[in-house]
């Protein structure tokens, strides 16, 4: 419990999607258009159930046909009034910082100040060849573009010069913000990204998709120490991890495992992932793994532990995986909102 001089920490909880191709009840895969429309309905449902954040991650593949998440979030914004809307990741390295700012400042206006953006280097790199970028420039693209985005966020006319795009001189960037636009830097393990987030006073979002969450502890500590040395106050640390909630542990495993295996198997052909065994999967859903799969009690306990170990204040569950039927996804969302999150809050309070 906090002392008399400490303020209790405020925790927030969200849902992330990459627009995964879900399926009908009979197992027939949805089309890309069906999956995009389903994401809108999931965002609306999350708002109705009291979830605080709904986020869409940029991807450009057949499994994840979600290249324009901000457009989808605009549709969600038009049908909601409370939930915060953001990117689970925007691949800044293969985008233009000015256009990213303009899209999310527009979303911020449409939603009445409920937008936020997470900027990343791109652990999924399909956007680089798609838009004509060389992976050999992976680091310089992110470093320079994040620097430019930070300049735009100051709200003044921008003068900037770099090597990855034409310079700007005293350039006004519109639309101006009339409400804060929180900026997060998504990190999958790169310490340089942690340092850049701290340098600009941006929030940190740890994408934990394999292994023990505790191994990200040094990155969380590095971020906190860097903020202190740079003279910034405390900034929030958020967690992004995949999972699936069902009524029982066995049911959650039965629904999630075959879809997880299929997705990782397909991704292994492009990204060199090892194909997981059932034993490896069970280790990942255990107390020290990165997957949050199980009953509401099981998932809540694991989320509470992760937030505590990493001194984080936000958790976002990547709730969709592979060809899971849409009714299973909606049940996942409902259980997460109405049973998991209240349990986590109670565990953290005590």
């Amino acid at each position: 419990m906090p002392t008399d001089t400490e303020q209790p920490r405020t925790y927030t909880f969200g849902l992330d999607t990459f627009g995964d191709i879900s399926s009908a009840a009979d197992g027939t895969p949805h089309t890309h258009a069906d999956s995009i429309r389903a994401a809108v309905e999931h965002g609306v449902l999350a708002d109705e159930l009291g979830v605080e954040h709904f986020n869409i991650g940029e991807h450009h593949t057949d499994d994840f046909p979600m290249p324009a998440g901000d457009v989808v979030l605009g549709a969600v914004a038009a049908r909601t009034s409370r939930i915060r809307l953001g990117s689970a990741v925007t691949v800044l390295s293969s985008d233009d910082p000015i256009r990213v700012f303009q899209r999310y400042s527009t979303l911020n206006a449409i939603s009445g100040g409920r937008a936020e953006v997470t900027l990343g280097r791109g652990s999924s790199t399909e956007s680089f060849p798609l838009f004509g970028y060389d992976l050999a420039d992976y680091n310089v693209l992110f470093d320079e573009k994040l620097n430019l985005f930070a300049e735009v966020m100051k709200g003044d006319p921008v003068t900037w010069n770099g090597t990855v795009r034409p310079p700007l001189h005293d350039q006004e960037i519109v639309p101006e913000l009339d409400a804060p636009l929180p900026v997060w830097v998504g990190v999958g393990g790169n310490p340089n990204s942690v340092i850049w987030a701290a340098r600009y006073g941006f929030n940190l979002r740890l994408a934990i998709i394999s292994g023990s969450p505790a191994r990200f502890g040094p990155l969380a500590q590095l971020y906190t120490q860097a903020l202190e040395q740079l003279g910034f106050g405390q900034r929030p640390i958020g967690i992004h991890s995949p999972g699936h909630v069902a009524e029982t542990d066995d049911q959650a495993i039965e629904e999630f495992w075959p879809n997880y295996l299929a997705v990782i198997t397909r991704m292994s052909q492009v990204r060199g992932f090892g194909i997981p065994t059932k034993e490896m999967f069970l280790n990942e859903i255990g107390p020290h793994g990165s997957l949050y799969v199980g009953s509401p009690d099981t998932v809540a306990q694991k989320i509470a532990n992760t937030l505590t170990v990493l001194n984080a204040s936000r958790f976002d569950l990547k709730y969709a995986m592979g060809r899971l039927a849409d009714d299973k996804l909606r049940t996942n969302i409902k259980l997460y909102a109405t049973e998991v999150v209240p349990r986590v809050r109670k565990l953290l309070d005590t």
Side-chain angles (χ1 to χ4, degrees):
M1 297 294 291
T3 67
D4 291 341
T5 59
E6 293 177 330
Q7 294 298 317
R9 169 164 290 184
T10 299
Y11 294 93
T12 61
F13 299 90
L15 289 162
D16 292 354
T17 182
F18 299 159
D20 309 48
I21 296 289
S22 56
S23 68
D26 63 0
T28 303
H30 285 151
T31 65
H32 290 178
D34 287 335
S35 299
I36 290 169
R37 288 189 284 265
V40 175
E41 299 304 321
H42 296 163
V44 173
L45 176 62
D47 178 73
E48 292 172 352
L49 295 171
V51 178
E52 291 153 300
H53 301 270
F54 186 74
N55 313 290
I56 298 177
E58 173 192 349
H59 284 76
H60 305 262
T61 67
D62 185 57
D63 280 317
F64 310 125
M66 190 57 74
D70 50 290
V71 178
V72 180
L73 293 171
V76 178
R79 294 175 55 189
T80 59
S81 60
R82 181 198 54 77
I83 196 167
R84 294 198 63 85
L85 304 167
S87 63
V89 68
T90 295
V91 185
L92 186 66
S93 304
S94 58
D95 210 328
D96 185 272
I98 306 299
R99 294 295 291 138
V100 172
F101 172 82
Q102 290 179 323
R103 296 199 302 268
Y104 280 89
S105 60
T106 299
L107 177 63
N108 213 34
I110 292 170
S111 64
R114 291 185 283 134
E116 53 188 33
V117 62
T118 297
L119 308 173
R121 293 177 182 269
S123 60
S124 297
T125 58
E126 67 271 2
S127 62
F128 286 76
L130 181 62
F131 299 121
Y133 291 96
D134 191 337
L135 279 172
D137 299 325
Y138 185 80
N139 288 322
V140 68
L141 283 166
F142 183 75
D143 295 349
E144 287 196 10
K145 290 185 176 186
L146 188 64
N147 176 261
L148 175 53
F149 195 91
E151 289 298 314
V152 175
M153 285 297 298
K154 293 178 181 178
D156 302 318
V158 175
T159 296
W160 182 91
N161 187 56
T163 64
V164 298
R165 57 148 291 148
L168 297 169
H169 179 73
D170 203 29
Q171 177 67 52
E172 182 180 6
I173 308 298
V174 299
E176 296 178 353
L177 293 169
D178 64 357
L181 175 69
V183 180
W184 301 72
V185 173
V187 178
N190 191 319
N192 289 330
S193 294
V194 175
I195 295 298
W196 282 111
R199 176 179 178 180
Y200 298 120
F202 293 156
N203 305 331
L204 180 67
R205 202 153 181 244
L206 298 172
I208 306 174
I209 60 174
S210 67
S212 171
R215 68 187 177 90
F216 284 76
L219 294 180
Q221 293 171 6
L222 174 64
Y223 176 67
T224 300
Q225 292 167 359
L227 285 173
E228 182 179 354
Q229 292 177 7
L230 291 165
F232 289 107
Q234 185 178 6
R235 296 288 191 272
I237 297 174
I239 309 297
H240 156 101
S241 283
H244 181 65
V245 189
E247 293 290 348
T248 67
D249 289 346
D250 288 344
Q251 181 183 350
I253 292 170
E254 179 183 353
E255 293 172 354
F256 189 83
W257 160 241
N259 292 284
Y260 175 78
L261 176 62
V263 169
I264 299 301
T265 299
R266 286 192 294 271
M267 293 177 68
S268 71
Q269 300 170 7
V270 178
R271 299 182 60 184
F273 289 164
I275 298 175
T277 64
K278 185 67 171 293
E279 182 180 3
M280 294 166 61
F281 168 74
L282 293 176
N283 184 63
E284 285 290 349
I285 69 172
H288 305 295
S290 64
L291 299 178
Y292 296 74
V293 177
S295 67
D297 279 333
T298 297
V299 173
Q301 184 65 63
K302 191 168 180 178
I303 291 174
N305 289 343
T306 298
L307 290 170
T308 301
V309 167
L310 296 179
N311 195 31
S313 59
R314 173 172 167 182
F315 185 90
D316 296 308
L317 181 76
K318 198 274 182 179
Y319 68 89
M321 178 62 65
R323 301 295 193 262
L324 271 165
D326 192 65
D327 64 326
K328 302 287 195 304
L329 298 181
R330 294 178 70 86
T331 297
N332 184 2
I333 291 170
K334 291 176 182 177
L335 290 174
Y336 178 77
T338 63
E339 296 193 32
V340 173
V341 170
R343 283 172 166 83
V344 177
R345 293 191 186 282
K346 185 174 181 179
L347 287 166
L348 293 171
D349 285 343
T350 57

